[in-house]
Amino acid sequence: MLTQEQIDRYEQDGFLVLQQLLTLDECRKLKIAVGQLIDNWEPDPVYSWIFLNDKDKQQARAQRMVALKDELSFGIEEEAIDPQTGKLNRDKHLSLNRIGLTLHNFHPEFNAVTFSDKIKAIVHDLKFIKPAIRQTMYIFKQPFIGAKVASHRDSTYVYNEPLKIVGIWIALEDATINNGCLWFIPGSNLKPTQRRYIRNPNQQEFNEGKVLIFTEEEQYDDSAFVPVEIKAGRIVE
């Protein structure tokens, strides 16, 4: 799948755009599959975390993330929740920011893509010996609503030693600067990770809800980011 020139570019910049991985029909099938999952999803009657302060919200989200790490979970945009009642204020299909975290375990269409020969070839070319799928997610960019996604590295949330992680992002629609394409700082992959989410080793604090410890903040130069616009079916890794 990858030429040596592409591998060198990936190692230098930290990201790489590849040509068509999926056909437009395959993209359509994945979108239909997500629609089916949402149809079968029954939202909780009340989202109590909406009433918490910002610090407690962060821990509440972390607690939920740890609890649902291997289950099908639906992430809801805060603006889609009525602050007076804690209930959805719009159609559930227009309320989500993501579905995860192991989507490949819950629908055959996503399983087929995740374990496809094309994906296997990519990670083989990047010299993974025993690659493992840690998470698969479907990301939404809803019209008119949506919290800002803070600048971050995936190694903040998914970490191993020695650090060797690759994210494969597939566009199911054309992604532009007007509808939420990815932005990167070329070469930032060469700097060590500073911010980590670490499972709290204090069992009592963990049981009381402080499930993660957040290490120091990462600092980014906003002027260094470059947008990566791609067509449907192509991938960024």
Side-chain angles (χ1 to χ4, degrees), residues 143-162:
F144 309 118
I145 65 170
K148 178 181 178 180
V149 178
S151 301
H152 66 276
R153 299 196 233 189
D154 288 348
S155 54
T156 291
Y157 312 96
V158 181
Y159 189 85
N160 60 14
E161 292 183 355

Side-chain angles (χ1 to χ4, degrees), residues 65-123:
M65 182 173 66
V66 171
L68 299 177
K69 63 184 184 300
D70 295 321
E71 299 179 23
L72 188 64
S73 62
F74 296 79
I76 302 167
E77 290 286 0
E78 190 165 325
E79 293 173 81
I81 301 174
D82 187 319
Q84 302 300 320
T85 65
K87 299 179 181 179
L88 293 182
N89 58 22
R90 65 197 66 210
D91 184 273
K92 60 183 180 179
H93 287 262
L94 300 176
S95 302
L96 296 167
N97 56 38
R98 63 142 183 85
I99 300 178
L101 293 165
T102 55
L103 196 50
H104 59 282
N105 287 335
F106 294 92
H107 200 288
E109 293 286 353
F110 286 94
N111 186 280
V113 171
T114 303
F115 294 100
S116 68
D117 289 340
K118 291 180 180 179
I119 297 295
K120 291 177 182 178
I122 291 171
V123 296

Side-chain angles (χ1 to χ4, degrees), residues 164-175:
K164 189 173 178 64
I165 297 170
V166 62
I168 298 178
W169 189 88
I170 306 173
L172 300 186
E173 299 177 357
D174 292 353

Side-chain angles (χ1 to χ4, degrees), residues 145-235:
I145 65 170
K148 178 181 178 180
V149 178
S151 301
H152 66 276
R153 299 196 233 189
D154 288 348
S155 54
T156 291
Y157 312 96
V158 181
Y159 189 85
N160 60 14
E161 292 183 355
L163 181 61
K164 189 173 178 64
I165 297 170
V166 62
I168 298 178
W169 189 88
I170 306 173
L172 300 186
E173 299 177 357
D174 292 353
T176 71
I177 59 174
N178 295 317
N179 70 357
C181 70
L182 295 174
W183 293 65
F184 295 91
I185 297 179
S188 58
N189 58 300
L190 302 177
K191 299 179 180 179
T193 299
Q194 292 179 296
R195 184 161 176 78
R196 292 266 316 279
Y197 282 18
I198 302 170
R199 184 184 176 105
N200 192 343
N202 185 314
Q203 192 61 47
Q204 181 175 344
E205 290 184 357
F206 185 92
N207 293 337
E208 292 172 354
K210 188 178 180 182
V211 298
L212 296 180
I213 298 173
F214 310 101
T215 59
E216 62 184 284
E217 294 283 352
E218 297 263 17
Q219 300 297 322
Y220 300 99
D221 178 4
D222 289 344
S223 66
F225 280 94
V226 296
V228 178
E229 298 182 295
I230 62 173
K231 294 290 186 180
R234 297 182 181 182
I235 73 170

Side-chain angles (χ1 to χ4, degrees), residues 24-36:
L24 293 181
D25 185 58
E26 288 172 321
C27 292
R28 181 185 61 83
K29 289 179 180 178
L30 290 176
K31 293 165 70 176
I32 290 174
V34 160
Q36 294 169 345

